[in-house]
Amino acid sequence: MRDVAIIGVKNTNFGEMWDRSFRDIVVEAGVGAIEDSGISGEKLDGMYVGNMSGGQFVEQEHIGALIADYSGLSLDLHIPSTRVEAACASGGLAFRQAVMAVASGHEDLVMAAGVEKMTDVSSTAASAALAAAADREWEGIMGATFPGLYAMIAKMHMHQYGTTSEQLAAVAVKNHKNGSMNPIAQYKNLITVDNVLNSIMVADPLHIFDCSPITDGASALVLAPADIAHEYTDTPIYVKATAQASDTIALHDRRDIATLDASVAAGKRAYEMAKMTPADIDLVEVHDCFTIAEICAIEDLGFVKKGLGGKMTEDGETAIGGKIPVNTSGGLKACGHPVGATGIKQLVEVTQQLRGDSGPRQVDGAEVGMTHNVGGSGATAVVNILARKR
């Protein structure tokens, strides 16, 4: 297996893009990543595109072919383009497939992208589409939504470990602060703990400021064999690990709903692959679809003892400049959560951090970064580790 490097990246703006189409935003991301990499589109050997539910959000399936076509890469070139779906982990899994294609030697220059256009339907329709990532027969058909499922996770975490609503709110406050410094973020407003606690209750104990938004956006990156990466860029970022794990799709079948076992397993595999420990990670982008999800993630990935994630956040240890900066992009909470794109956006953020290109969000001396992308309530988890040095 060959070592693999990221040579180009691009995020579109994230938000409500009423004047732009699904294909417009993904092409913008793809072209931007190609330009950043210094290659031309015809040099690409393949594309892997993360998309959760184009069929429900924009009534479009056959996403891989659509994107190759609209990018000008199908006529004459006939580039293989594959759509990858794993609910909200679609982007992270598309990256994993692209890495394996290059590492195996089957392809050399490969794009991994992610896209979702979620605001073309009503909020009710969007909620129904997202609910398809849960167990339809045993959760969705009974009326369970993801705010409800994660509220149960939060309640259990509070019961087992004494986590407080104020600690959940601290996640949102920190991520909005980071998002305020991110030019692509959907939300750039600063908030306080009181703002969170006094906002509308969605599913007890989760307020609306505990929940990530509905978002349009796309992200893309270009991969190359590490041996030739310097032919295209002076700042290649090396893929040290990519790992995936699965768990039961229904929350009620889990060993412990306050721990996402797929995150634990994927994290352990990534650390083993990279020959690293949590102490080696300088920053991490985790899947904070709800504030409790970030607290669970930093525990499950080994950055703090189980049950202490809330206190760690409340004490400022996950802020930029803290012990382990978490979600410097603003996370899903403030940067936004176009579900198919999120996993790639996380990788773009870490790549820019390791390049030293993150402006006021920059983590000083960042050498190694991690991403953590989750599908559903934890049935799929993808963990990646990137580094400045090979």
Side-chain angles (χ1 to χ4, degrees):
M1 299 289 279
R2 301 185 295 184
D3 290 342
V4 180
I6 296 172
I7 61 172
V9 296
K10 172 67 177 180
N11 286 322
T12 67
N13 288 332
F14 280 17
E16 297 177 350
M17 300 183 188
W18 303 107
D19 59 339
R20 307 196 65 201
S21 72
F22 177 96
R23 59 187 75 188
D24 288 337
I25 58 176
V26 72
V27 169
E28 178 192 343
V31 169
I34 288 171
E35 290 176 346
D36 188 51
S37 71
I39 70 169
S40 56
E42 60 266 22
K43 297 291 186 181
L44 285 175
D45 296 314
M47 295 174 62
Y48 295 85
V49 183
N51 175 255
M52 175 186 163
S53 197
Q56 294 196 65
F57 287 124
V58 294
E59 298 183 358
Q60 178 69 61
E61 300 290 2
H62 212 175
I63 301 299
L66 173 83
I67 293 171
D69 178 14
Y70 209 67
S71 303
L73 299 174
S74 58
L75 189 65
D76 296 329
L77 297 174
H78 304 295
I79 184 173
S81 179
T82 304
R83 182 242 188 116
V84 179
E85 188 277 318
C88 306
S90 298
L93 193 55
F95 175 76
R96 177 169 160 76
Q97 302 307 305
V99 169
M100 290 192 291
V102 177
S104 68
H106 188 68
E107 295 168 341
D108 287 330
L109 298 177
V110 175
M111 177 176 289
V115 58
E116 212 74 58
K117 185 76 168 65
M118 304 175 71
T119 65
D120 286 1
V121 298
S122 68
S123 58
T124 300
S127 295
L130 293 170
D135 188 317
R136 199 64 169 176
E137 288 189 25
W138 292 103
E139 293 176 327
I141 204 168
M142 302 300 177
T145 63
F146 276 103
L149 294 171
Y150 274 91
M152 287 191 280
I153 292 173
K155 281 288 192 182
M156 180 61 76
H157 204 279
M158 290 173 158
H159 174 72
Q160 290 181 349
Y161 305 112
T163 303
T164 67
S165 291
E166 287 78 8
Q167 290 171 343
L168 297 180
V171 173
V173 171
K174 182 261 299 176
N175 288 348
H176 270 258
K177 182 178 181 180
N178 293 348
S180 73
M181 298 181 283
N182 188 347
I184 75 156
Q186 182 168 0
Y187 294 119
K188 300 182 178 69
N189 56 313
L190 298 174
I191 60 174
T192 67
V193 169
D194 283 344
N195 291 150
V196 179
L197 297 181
N198 292 321
S199 65
I200 296 168
M201 183 71 76
V202 177
D204 188 19
L206 301 178
H207 298 79
I208 196 164
F209 275 138
D210 288 298
C211 308
S212 61
I214 300 296
T215 311
D216 302 330
S219 303
L221 55 82
V222 178
L223 296 170
D227 287 343
I228 63 172
H230 274 287
E231 296 178 16
Y232 303 102
T233 179
D234 293 330
T235 55
I237 300 301
Y238 299 99
V239 180
K240 306 301 288 186
T242 180
Q244 178 189 358
S246 303
D247 201 350
T248 66
I249 193 168
L251 201 59
H252 63 252
D253 285 330
R254 304 275 172 85
R255 176 189 64 83
D256 174 7
I257 68 170
T259 297
L260 275 63
D261 283 344
S263 293
V264 175
K268 286 181 178 178
R269 291 168 187 167
Y271 288 129
E272 290 172 3
M273 188 179 299
K275 296 179 174 60
M276 293 181 182
T277 70
D280 296 308
I281 307 299
D282 296 315
L283 72 149
V284 58
E285 288 282 305
V286 304
H287 197 92
D288 62 316
C289 48
F290 300 91
T291 50
I292 184 60
E294 178 169 316
I295 289 173
C296 289
I298 59 177
E299 296 171 351
D300 296 342
L301 294 171
F303 295 110
V304 66
K305 183 180 177 181
K306 192 67 189 177
L308 298 180
K311 184 178 187 303
M312 185 184 200
T313 305
E314 193 173 41
D315 290 346
E317 294 185 68
T318 59
I320 296 171
K323 179 181 178 181
I324 174 68
V326 178
N327 285 334
T328 57
S329 68
L332 286 61
K333 174 66 197 75
C335 189
H337 185 27
V339 286
T342 286
I344 302 294
K345 182 272 292 184
Q346 295 175 325
L347 290 151
V348 172
E349 172 69 16
V350 171
T351 297
Q352 291 172 333
Q353 285 280 354
L354 298 181
R355 287 176 171 181
D357 292 340
S358 294
R361 306 189 319 284
Q362 184 62 48
V363 175
D364 291 340
E367 294 287 333
V368 180
M370 171 182 278
T371 68
H372 162 260
N373 193 196
V374 169
S377 60
T380 300
V382 182
V383 175
N384 302 292
I385 298 176
L386 308 180
R388 279 174 52 85
K389 297 178 182 178
R390 186 172 176 184

